[in-house]
Amino acid sequence: MWNQLKKWVKKLTLWELLKGLRVTLKYGASKDITLQYPEEETPRSNRFRGMLALRRYPNGEERCIACKLCEAVCPACAITIESEVRDDGTRRTTRYDIDVFKCINCGLCEEACPVDSIVLTDEMHYALYNRGENIFTKEKLLMIGDLYESKIAEHREIDRGTC
Amino acid sequence: MLNEVCYRVMPKDISSWDDETLSKEKTWTLEAYRAVGGYQVWEKIIREKTPPMDIIAQLKQSVLRGRGGAGFPTGLKWSFMPPQLPGKGEKYVLCNSDESEPGTCKDRFILSNNPHQLLEGMLIACYAMGAKVGYNLMRGEFWLPFNRCEEALREATEAGYVGANILGSDVSIALHNAATLGAYICGEETALMNALEGKRPNPRFKPPFPANFGLWGQPTTINNTETIASVPVILQRGADWFAGAGTEKSGGTKIFCVSGHVNKPGNYEIALGTPFSELLEMAGGMRNGAKLKAVIPGGSSMPVIPGDVMMKTNLDYEGVMQSGSMLGSGGMIIMDESTCMVAVARRLSRFYMHESCGQCTPCREGSGWVYRLMCAIEEGRAEMSDIDRLRRVAKQIEGRTICVFGEAIAWPVEGFLKHFRHEFEACIKQGPRTVKR
Amino acid sequence: MIDIQINGQTYQVLEGASIIEAADEHGIYIPRFCYHKKLSVAANCRMCLVEVANMKKPMPACSTPVSPDMVIFTQSEKALEAQRSVMEFLLINHPLDCPVCDQGGACELQDLSIGFGCSESDFGGDKRAVDKLELGPLLQTYMTRCIQCTRCIRFSRELGGLSELGMIDRGGGEKVSTYVERDLQSELSGNMIDVCPVGALTAKPSRFAGRSWEYVEHEGVAAHDCLGSNMYWHSSQHDNVETREVMRVVPKENESINECWISDRDRFSFEGLTHESRLLSPMVKHNGTWKEASWEAALSECADKLGSLIDSNGGDCLGVLAGPQTTMEEGFLLQKLTRALGSKHIDSRLREQDFSDQACRLPSPRLGCQIADLDSLDTLFFFGCDVRTQHPVLTTRINPSIEEGLSVCAMNPMDYAYTFPLTEQVVAGPSALLQQLAALVALVAKEKGESAVISAEKPSAQTQAIAKRLLNSEKIALLMGEHALASTHASAFRSLLSQLATLVGASFGELPYGANTVGLQYVGCVPHRQADGMALAEPGLDIVGMMEQPRRAYVLCQLEPESDVLQAAKTLKTLDEAALVICLTAFESDAMRQYADIMLPVAPPSETSGQFMNIEGSIQSFQAVTVPHGDARPAWKVLRVLANFLKLDHFEYRSLEAVRNDLSVVCESEDSVCELPILKTLPSLKENELIRLAPWPMVRSDALVRRASSLQKTLRAEQVSALVNAAVASTHGLSDGSQVKARQGDSEIEITLRVDDRIPDQCVMIPSGLSISAGFGSAEQAVTLEKSNA
């Protein structure tokens, strides 16, 4: 008898339906976590290893001194450097190519660089449409560095003294 | 006042001792030296052809220990000289008169006021060790002593004590005076040899030791001026007399150069084993009756000893060693309560930075580092950890260099830190000048 | 041998050795900076401190001799702590500029810092900075990096023999310096780069050329003197053979030849490889204008012209000369080609002019002893030999041996600026020199109780002293140098010297110029012997004969006659008049464009494989480092194809190994018995003539070196001037610094005159090989001097 009554109450109050909707209702009421990519993005660490760039000093002089440590440390052999001695007696690169198809964004080059020249920006949105664009030349890398300099500097400032 | 050994030609009465009487009496002349019995021993040796081994045996009996700093028994050192072998070339006796240790000024007195006694000592040394040539190498800045020694050598040569066929015998000994160009490191025995050879005075590494490979690669014995000047007296008055003047292990008298905050700074020749308090009294006590704070007992490269410990110390090699320092050259630097020990340490480390020859890495790089740390502490720029750093750097220099200059840098630092660490800490905490002048 | 214990293991070591030597012997590494096995011990870096049982202080392994049953710990906490602290001291003033340092990656300080240092330093403060030191065109200095190990100082003093560097100042300000700023004069200065454990001394020509880990190492043999020093070529661009370039040269250790040193000439001559005068494609001259041609066209032109000349005039019309950088294989093919064409006229002895005793000489010159034997001699006797500039590496053996009692005597045509002291020396003009040598032989023979074979004048005091020295020494080597070989009296010199050697029981040898002069003579590039060493019944013409009886056609392999032969003027004239001159050469020159008709680009030593034979007679082979520049080809290939074009048989070699096989089979029968004729009377000597001494300065000795730009900057004023002594200058009315005209026959040059009393009477020194003396006159012959009007 008692069981019969319980069954009817459940039926009339649509209990099973509510039970089935429990998860739906719970998440329906909570805050939205889906991002509207590409309009919205997940936050990234300031140490995010994205697109590569070559930096300059504030006076416009390129930082790279062609020490070739990045070339030596690169596990994917993605970096190719050629250098010359400039008229002022310093060694500078004449060619600094990174094959981004080979690059595995490990960041070892950045770590090896004694003058903070080669860096990985937090930029991840870039695509290549033509054959050959995978080689980032020195000019291209310096241009990326110029574009992102303020952001790179900001991220470095956060990390200052932590490593 | 026991002016027996090195000052015997001087007036007994210290009160009549001033520059005027010294210049009048001309103690450095052959005449004055002969008047007090000079060259009698040498004449006797030549006359009687005393066997060299007898001389060395007497020295051993007299317990004469090297007066230059290390305190090595002289008789033993002389007996190390290899016997003359035919075709093996010259042997040399060197007198180390490159006295540059801060706080030490005894040798210059002997050189300028009693050069003949030194010459006689060198002649005996050459004779005892079978050397034909002896060099007396003086510090470059010693103009007066050098001229006096040259004059004395000329007199002695004319009198036939030096040169070929001395006093008509078949003994020939040539003596020479020479001067370095004035660097502390020239006082190191092998650096002195290099200086004499005309090379850059860098100390040589050992082995080979100078007794086998010294000046120009020949067997060489090198002694301090005071040591050599003591020899004629020992032979004249007997080894027992000399040994009796001192303690069991350190015989004879020694000159102490008292400097600093005392009323009568100067050279005092006293028996070894005399309590420090007596020496202080002789020197007229502390200036202005101030309290004794610290003493550096053996020239600046020895560790400092606090005043109260020093007052209980007897002045002999073992006594000072027990108090935690070394007798060294006998340069007593006496400091009263007005002294800032950090400033003293800083000043000493500057001296050692300036005088390092630069040959070995620890001394070349370490001496500058110690000085920089000292400056930082004195000027109140340092951190507490710098005191330990200072001690660590000093430890890293000690015992790792070719010569003992490394110890000379490290020991004062360690001595000051051991006894006066609180002053260093105060400097760091409160900034410069903890003790008011 | 005594037993010692290192790190718990017992080893047998030589008594008297230092700990570091004993440890090195058994492969136990002790870190070091100032210690170098070839230099004296300084014990000043204190890096090699080790723990010795029963010793309070850690002991320096380099200066502590081992004693029986010594117990040593190189890795104990005490030793490691001492090493760490020394490392810390060294680094407080060392700049951290490894990324821009040429030594980076090959730096002993870097390596030991990782192995024995600590990763952090307590030091805060400014580092020391030291002013740059200018040491000339070869050495780049960066003295802030110096760690005062004094290796360079000890090298320059003990092995270089010149003591050019020293320490000035003291304490932390101690620095290496020349004191008065000046360029290094040593011919061995480049070795200081190798001994420097840090980047304080680096090579200026290869400064910033690359990073040490990029270089690929190739074994090689030095191609400028007859010692055959071993070395490594370092090349860049390891992944692409086509673009590989030689970037630098470093020595390779070979105890029996060069120990671990090479001369500056061997080290820096690589710069010439990329000189603008490299011949990059075959060139053919038509009606006086040069045109590039394909190999096929050029070779068929060679074959046509040569073939028609030989057809019409017989094989006898061809003369062939080989330069000393020609490899043994190339020399073999060259003589085979020459003889296949019916000519006997081939020579490779460019700097000799007296061949009268050639039939009695050894098939190829020899030192008479091993190079390493020079270390243990009592007396070394140089005759007409400027060993310092011609064979600089030999002086690294002589300089330290002087300390150990070696005495060096010399008879020279001028007072050469040796780096070691001479016990006795005779300086005289060529004819007086011959008389003194004869007097020496006569004197020694008399002393030995043998009948004098030659009557001679009275020996001078120095000659008597030399005789005394030779008679009182046991181990003696007599060496006949480049001047004596080039002399017109060479055969007389050789005969007298070999008599002298027999009399005093010495070894007798020659020191000819050039890398492979020995090997070329061995493979038969001489007119009087074949490749198998068999003497020819009728010898062909030697180099002098070829010019006196001009041939119609000439083939020149790797030489520039205007600068490389003794009788330059006559040679140039003959070549100008010849109907056909084919040059196999790596470089072209203006003179060559004049006399040559066809120029074929061949590969210099770094671009070809082959073998050189050194003066000891040991054959050393090497591989090509890079591919030849432009269209150049290894000379052996060119010769092989040329022979095919000429339709000669037995030239079907497919590889260098095939040539080498042929060569070794032929050369096995070499006969080395030699009996020089005994000189009975002196040749008639001309008096009252001014004789021209014509040495080649070190950096002008061959085509490659002459094009190495940095080396050329080391030429000093006195090396490019005519030198006479004051007496000769006054008799000719000439003064120091004036311009003079020197004339030999038709040829004439203008040159600055300097008065130098190292030159004896009746002599004037006008260097060969200079650009101003190219094509001038002939060496060791009469010359006239007059004041220039201009």
Side-chain angles (χ1 to χ4, degrees), chain B residues 182-183 200 205 207 354-362 364-366 369 372 389 392-393 396-397 399-402 407, chain C residues 41-46 49 57 63 65 81-82 85 88-90 92-93 122-123 126 128 147-148 167 169-171 174:
Chain B
R200 186 184 159 87
F205 58 84
H354 185 249
E355 294 295 342
S356 165
C357 78
Q359 188 180 198
C360 344
T361 308
R364 177 181 67 236
E365 310 291 354
W369 196 357
R372 286 193 211 193
R389 190 162 296 140
R392 183 175 68 79
V393 174
Q396 281 178 216
I397 305 172
R400 310 237 163 112
T401 49
I402 289 177
E407 277 80 352
Chain C
V41 173
N44 61 21
C45 74
R46 316 309 281 178
L49 293 172
K57 299 175 179 179
S63 70
E81 198 275 323
S85 70
E88 184 177 8
F89 282 133
L90 281 173
I92 66 172
N93 275 318
D122 264 357
F123 181 76
D126 299 334
R128 175 176 61 224
I147 57 166
Q148 286 89 5
M167 278 289 182
D169 293 347
R170 62 187 181 191
E174 193 186 36

Side-chain angles (χ1 to χ4, degrees), chain A residues 108-119:
Chain A
L108 288 180
C109 51
E110 184 177 7
E111 227 172 281
C113 186
V115 288
D116 280 355
S117 178
I118 181 78
V119 289

Side-chain angles (χ1 to χ4, degrees), chain C residues 210-226:
Chain C
R211 308 290 285 162
S212 55
W213 57 84
E214 296 180 304
Y215 293 142
V216 192
E217 200 163 75
H218 312 262
E219 291 178 8
V221 179
H224 304 290
D225 60 37
C226 63

Side-chain angles (χ1 to χ4, degrees), chain C residues 35-170:
Chain C
Y35 173 79
H36 190 284
K37 61 182 175 180
K38 296 286 176 196
L39 302 176
S40 68
V41 173
N44 61 21
C45 74
R46 316 309 281 178
M47 192 62 208
C48 64
L49 293 172
V50 294
E51 185 180 350
V52 176
N54 304 325
M55 294 276 193
K56 208 176 117 221
K57 299 175 179 179
M59 304 300 285
C62 63
S63 70
T64 311
V66 291
S67 53
D69 300 319
M70 199 178 214
V71 179
I72 300 156
F73 302 97
T74 67
Q75 297 280 312
S76 67
E77 192 41 51
K78 192 170 160 188
L80 287 179
E81 198 275 323
Q83 290 160 5
R84 258 200 306 276
S85 70
V86 171
M87 201 66 229
E88 184 177 8
F89 282 133
L90 281 173
L91 287 177
I92 66 172
N93 275 318
H94 190 84
L96 296 178
D97 62 349
C98 306
V100 289
C101 175
D102 265 347
Q103 191 89 349
C107 173
E108 289 178 48
L109 191 67
Q110 272 185 334
D111 294 351
L112 295 193
S113 171
I114 290 169
F116 300 90
C118 36
S119 52
E120 282 174 28
S121 170
D122 264 357
F123 181 76
D126 299 334
K127 287 175 183 256
R128 175 176 61 224
V130 185
D131 276 351
K132 208 173 122 186
L133 183 65
E134 190 54 52
L135 292 180
L138 302 179
L139 263 67
Q140 176 74 34
T141 65
Y142 196 99
M143 299 319 287
T144 305
R145 294 179 189 143
C146 176
I147 57 166
Q148 286 89 5
C149 71
T150 70
R151 275 189 193 177
C152 52
I153 296 174
R154 281 175 286 145
F155 176 83
S156 75
R157 193 177 56 218
E158 292 158 18
L159 295 165
L162 285 174
S163 206
E164 296 182 280
L165 293 174
M167 278 289 182
I168 60 167
D169 293 347
R170 62 187 181 191

Side-chain angles (χ1 to χ4, degrees), chain A residues 65-92:
Chain A
I65 51 170
C67 74
K68 306 196 186 184
L69 287 174
C70 49
E71 187 188 38
V73 80
C74 182
C77 296
I79 307 178
T80 311
I81 298 173
E82 280 168 19
S83 65
E84 60 163 15
V85 184
R86 230 166 40 178
D87 289 341
D88 60 2
T90 58
R91 180 176 51 201
R92 298 287 169 176

Side-chain angles (χ1 to χ4, degrees), chain B residues 30 34 151-162:
Chain B
L30 181 62
R34 275 225 196 95
E151 179 62 20
L153 186 59
R154 194 185 57 75
E155 282 180 326
T157 314
E158 278 172 14
Y161 293 123
V162 186

Side-chain angles (χ1 to χ4, degrees), chain B residues 125-307:
Chain B
C126 287
Y127 177 84
M129 287 178 274
K132 299 248 180 324
V133 184
Y135 288 97
N136 178 20
L137 196 77
M138 274 163 275
R139 182 178 160 182
E141 291 91 337
F142 280 0
W143 289 106
L144 178 74
F146 186 82
N147 290 338
R148 294 259 171 93
C149 284
E150 281 285 81
E151 179 62 20
L153 186 59
R154 194 185 57 75
E155 282 180 326
T157 314
E158 278 172 14
Y161 293 123
V162 186
N165 298 343
I166 293 167
L167 302 172
S169 70
D170 57 351
V171 179
S172 302
I173 293 169
L175 295 185
H176 304 280
N177 291 313
T180 69
L181 288 175
Y184 176 72
I185 199 67
C186 291
E188 206 277 341
E189 51 183 23
T190 49
L192 186 135
M193 289 170 197
N194 276 345
L196 201 51
E197 289 178 19
K199 294 177 185 160
R200 186 184 159 87
N202 280 350
R204 302 173 182 170
F205 58 84
K206 289 144 234 157
F209 291 95
N212 294 315
F213 189 91
L215 188 64
W216 285 300
Q218 299 298 330
T220 304
T221 294
I222 181 163
N223 280 110
N224 179 252
T225 314
E226 193 187 346
T227 319
I228 292 182
S230 307
V231 171
V233 189
I234 295 171
L235 297 183
Q236 190 172 27
R237 299 215 178 175
D240 292 332
W241 166 82
F242 188 82
T247 62
E248 189 189 337
K249 282 186 178 167
S250 6
T253 59
K254 158 134 191 55
I255 304 175
F256 287 90
C257 321
V258 183
S259 61
H261 303 148
V262 291
N263 281 320
K264 286 200 311 191
N267 286 331
Y268 295 88
E269 181 172 335
I270 54 173
L272 283 167
T274 312
F276 172 75
S277 47
E278 272 184 37
L279 178 66
L280 189 58
E281 218 169 280
M282 262 185 239
M286 296 300 291
R287 195 178 62 184
N288 304 333
K291 192 166 168 259
L292 177 68
K293 183 173 183 181
V295 175
I296 303 177
S300 63
S301 55
M302 298 299 157
V304 66
I305 301 181

Side-chain angles (χ1 to χ4, degrees), chain A residues 31-73:
Chain A
K31 201 174 164 256
D32 202 355
I33 60 162
T34 311
L35 289 175
Q36 295 301 309
Y37 186 84
E39 286 79 20
E40 293 174 338
E41 285 182 27
T42 49
R44 290 195 294 274
S45 158
N46 64 306
R47 296 177 189 175
F48 184 84
R49 302 194 295 256
M51 186 164 63
L52 293 140
L54 280 174
R55 292 179 74 199
R56 292 178 191 273
Y57 285 111
N59 65 1
E61 175 65 278
E62 59 189 270
R63 283 174 180 256
C64 182
I65 51 170
C67 74
K68 306 196 186 184
L69 287 174
C70 49
E71 187 188 38
V73 80

